[in-house]
Amino acid sequence: MKKIGFVETANRIANDKSILIEEEFNATKTWIEYINRLIGVVIGLFILLTVWKSFKLWKVDKWIPINAMVSLVLVLFTGWIGSIVVSTNLLTWMITFHMLLALALVWLLLYINHRSERLQSSHSVKLDVPEKVQWVLILGTFLMLIQVVLGTQVREQIDQVAASLGDMLRGEWVKRSGIIFLIHRSFSLVLLGVHILYFFWAFRYSVRKSKVNLWTQVLMLVLLLEIGSGIGMAYFGIPAFLQPIHLLLGSLLLGIQFMLILQLRDHLQFKLNTN
């Protein structure tokens, strides 16, 4: 990592004594890691195909192939960071960094898809949506990103507590996770409040059956499921099956939020151009 400028990060990895602790073989975790790598390879191949196809659009919209090439570099970098996460025995702060890279890749791919769709269709539905609706959603997305980072910190803390208890006594994990869990839990109420405000405004100003209206409904449904899965983990001893569901729902939320921001931005630009 020193060769690409991450000198401090490389030194922290080199001097982290927890890396030297041997981990017991776990067949379940091994299969999960193996499947994760296979999925990563498939994603990389699809992105490579996207880059190849995008060059046909260079004369129409050069930012599509440029962003496609950036996504290819980003997926390779994310995969490399993932290998470091595994080789360092799931080093705590590296898990968060790896998660943020993956989310950035999702946003970039959604942006490429959005620009491509704009070349094929025009605004069939004109929305008189005020700018404040977009800003509330941007605020909600920013808060959700913070919540995801807090969630990865909670997961890291839970992993440490679970290891200290020999992966036993699941009911004690949340109690011993400290203040970071309380912050993560309380922050969900702030998120819910901001999104209720966005939901009210989006339905007030958008047209029925428009993409913004439909995706806003999906957003609220996923948010409620995300909060519900968090409550389930908190009060039922963190069931193993709920952990990946909770993470998946959080990632879906950020993807839907970003997609809605792009759609609202298009409508605002369309409104400005027609005035």
Side-chain angles (χ1 to χ4, degrees):
M1 298 186 74
K2 290 183 179 180
K3 294 181 179 179
I4 58 173
F6 292 89
V7 177
E8 184 180 350
T9 302
N11 290 333
R12 290 178 65 182
I13 293 176
N15 297 319
D16 196 307
K17 301 301 180 182
S18 65
I19 298 174
L20 303 177
I21 301 175
E22 293 186 3
E23 294 284 333
E24 293 184 7
F25 175 76
N26 186 305
T28 302
K29 291 182 179 180
T30 301
W31 273 106
I32 291 174
E33 172 57 26
Y34 180 64
I35 294 172
N36 178 63
R37 293 190 182 193
L38 289 178
I39 293 174
V41 171
V42 173
I43 292 172
L45 291 174
F46 275 117
I47 291 178
L48 191 61
L49 181 61
T50 300
V51 173
W52 176 55
K53 291 287 187 180
S54 68
F55 280 114
K56 298 179 181 179
L57 301 174
W58 181 268
K59 294 182 179 180
V60 182
D61 185 352
K62 66 179 180 181
W63 286 108
I64 293 177
I66 289 175
N67 282 293
M69 287 185 286
V70 173
S71 70
L72 180 60
V73 174
L74 186 56
V75 75
L76 293 173
F77 183 67
T78 304
W80 177 59
I81 292 297
S83 68
I84 294 177
V85 171
V86 175
S87 63
T88 55
N89 292 335
L90 304 182
L91 196 60
T92 52
W93 45 273
M94 288 297 290
I95 296 175
T96 301
F97 183 48
H98 184 56
M99 179 68 181
L100 291 175
L101 285 175
L103 290 173
L105 178 62
V106 170
W107 279 0
L108 184 56
L109 292 173
L110 286 173
Y111 179 67
I112 294 169
N113 180 72
H114 180 74
R115 289 190 74 99
S116 301
E117 285 186 341
R118 283 198 310 184
L119 298 177
Q120 301 175 0
S121 61
S122 59
H123 291 283
S124 57
V125 179
K126 301 177 181 62
L127 302 181
D128 189 18
V129 180
E131 194 173 357
K132 65 181 181 179
V133 178
Q134 184 186 29
W135 282 111
V136 170
L137 183 57
I138 290 174
L139 174 62
T141 304
F142 177 71
L143 294 177
M144 186 61 206
L145 191 60
I146 294 176
Q147 181 73 326
V148 167
V149 172
L150 288 172
T152 60
Q153 298 299 311
V154 171
R155 178 262 168 94
E156 292 167 2
Q157 186 65 33
I158 290 293
D159 285 346
Q160 293 178 16
V161 172
S164 67
L165 296 175
D167 289 328
M168 303 292 288
L169 303 174
R170 279 185 171 266
E172 296 292 318
W173 292 4
V174 171
K175 297 178 183 178
R176 302 190 185 191
S177 60
I179 192 172
I180 188 68
F181 170 77
L182 297 177
I183 295 174
H184 182 63
R185 182 181 64 182
S186 302
F187 204 72
S188 63
L189 297 176
V190 178
L191 266 175
L192 181 61
V194 171
H195 281 83
I196 287 176
L197 178 60
Y198 164 73
F199 183 80
F200 172 76
W201 279 349
F203 264 74
R204 179 180 178 182
Y205 295 110
S206 63
V207 179
R208 291 285 181 90
K209 296 184 179 180
S210 65
K211 281 188 176 182
V212 170
N213 193 291
L214 293 174
W215 279 110
T216 294
Q217 295 179 59
V218 175
L219 175 68
M220 291 303 298
L221 175 61
V222 175
L223 177 62
L224 293 176
L225 290 174
E226 170 75 343
I227 294 175
S229 64
I231 293 173
M233 288 198 296
Y235 291 98
F236 295 99
I238 313 183
F241 76 93
L242 271 182
Q243 288 179 286
I245 292 176
H246 190 63
L247 177 62
L248 175 62
L249 290 172
S251 301
L252 282 174
L253 268 174
L254 283 167
I256 296 170
Q257 287 170 327
F258 185 70
M259 186 168 57
L260 278 168
I261 289 172
L262 293 175
Q263 291 175 359
L264 287 171
R265 188 193 65 169
D266 281 353
H267 286 295
L268 287 172
Q269 289 179 345
F270 179 81
K271 181 180 177 181
L272 289 173
N273 293 334
T274 54
N275 288 338

